[in-house]
Amino acid sequence: MANGSAPPSDECQKTKTFVLTKNKAMLTTGILQFVGGAIMVICGFFLVCVRYKVPGQNTYDNVTIGIWGGFFIGSTGVNGILSSKAGDRRSYIIYLIMSLVCVVVSIAMTAITAVAAGDNVLYYMDFPDQPGVSLTKLTIHVLLVVVACAVLIVSGLAALFTYMASSCTYGEQKSQTKSEVASSSLPGDNPAYEP
């Protein structure tokens, strides 16, 4: 090339469209993770508030996974937005690891909130005179399950995009380094070299 750097590796050339849009994909998944985390935190706070208004206690409503899971997923989204702007390999790897942890958190959140939703059905059978509270909590738990499943998919895609972006970035940096070393070691190409 004109500036002395080597062209991108063959793997990156094959996925040229992906390489050109990797930052847009990371930005989009980061925004979706942030929005999903915000919805989870709001639902978690709402469930905590509703729980203390109910005379009978549900067994699985004391779990605040919506709050701490939402904070982690939201912070991963912010990291994804910042990583798409930074464009270096280190930020890609941090976002990749955080996205993989988000997958695990989303699986845990889906399981726990699904059990809590089932517990709300049992609560309604025990206290049929409070259908509004039970249906409200059931609706919020189902919303958390849906959002957690969506975040699971988005985090998996974010991890995939980030892995591809970091491997192509590393391949480009590696080939540039090799070409810089090769061009600097040739005696005829270096004007400062005099035998």
Side-chain angles (χ1 to χ4, degrees):
M1 301 191 110
N3 62 359
S5 63
S9 63
D10 290 338
E11 180 182 319
C12 292
Q13 286 291 355
K14 290 177 186 175
T15 59
K16 186 175 181 180
T17 306
F18 177 77
V19 172
L20 294 175
T21 61
K22 66 185 174 193
N23 289 339
K24 289 181 185 177
M26 288 173 53
L27 179 67
T28 304
T29 55
I31 290 171
L32 290 174
Q33 284 174 326
F34 178 75
V35 169
I39 291 171
M40 289 176 184
V41 168
I42 291 168
C43 289
F45 278 124
F46 185 75
L47 283 173
V48 168
C49 293
V50 169
R51 181 181 185 276
Y52 290 110
K53 297 287 184 183
V54 178
Q57 294 183 0
N58 292 25
T59 347
Y60 297 104
D61 272 352
N62 56 3
V63 179
T64 56
I65 192 168
I67 297 171
W68 63 263
F71 274 128
F72 184 78
I73 291 169
S75 64
T76 301
V78 170
N79 187 14
I81 294 167
L82 296 176
S83 294
S84 70
K85 304 289 185 201
D88 63 336
R89 187 167 187 254
R90 182 176 298 152
S91 64
Y92 291 162
I93 291 174
I94 291 170
Y95 184 52
L96 169 67
I97 292 169
M98 288 182 77
S99 291
L100 290 174
V101 173
C102 278
V103 168
V104 174
V105 169
S106 297
I107 291 171
M109 183 176 289
T110 302
I112 290 172
T113 54
V115 168
D119 191 48
N120 279 323
V121 173
L122 293 176
Y123 179 81
Y124 176 70
M125 295 169 97
D126 291 340
F127 299 98
D129 57 334
Q130 297 179 1
V133 172
S134 183
L135 290 177
T136 303
K137 289 168 51 175
L138 179 64
T139 304
I140 297 299
H141 280 118
V142 170
L143 178 65
L144 276 173
V145 168
V146 170
V147 171
C149 288
V151 167
L152 173 69
I153 294 168
V154 168
S155 296
L157 289 174
L160 175 69
F161 293 150
T162 309
Y163 171 74
M164 292 294 292
S166 66
S167 65
C168 287
T169 303
Y170 178 69
E172 290 171 5
Q173 289 173 351
K174 188 175 175 183
S175 64
Q176 287 176 358
T177 305
K178 283 183 180 179
S179 67
E180 290 170 2
V181 169
S183 66
S184 66
S185 64
L186 296 174
D189 292 341
N190 193 351
Y193 177 77
E194 295 180 19

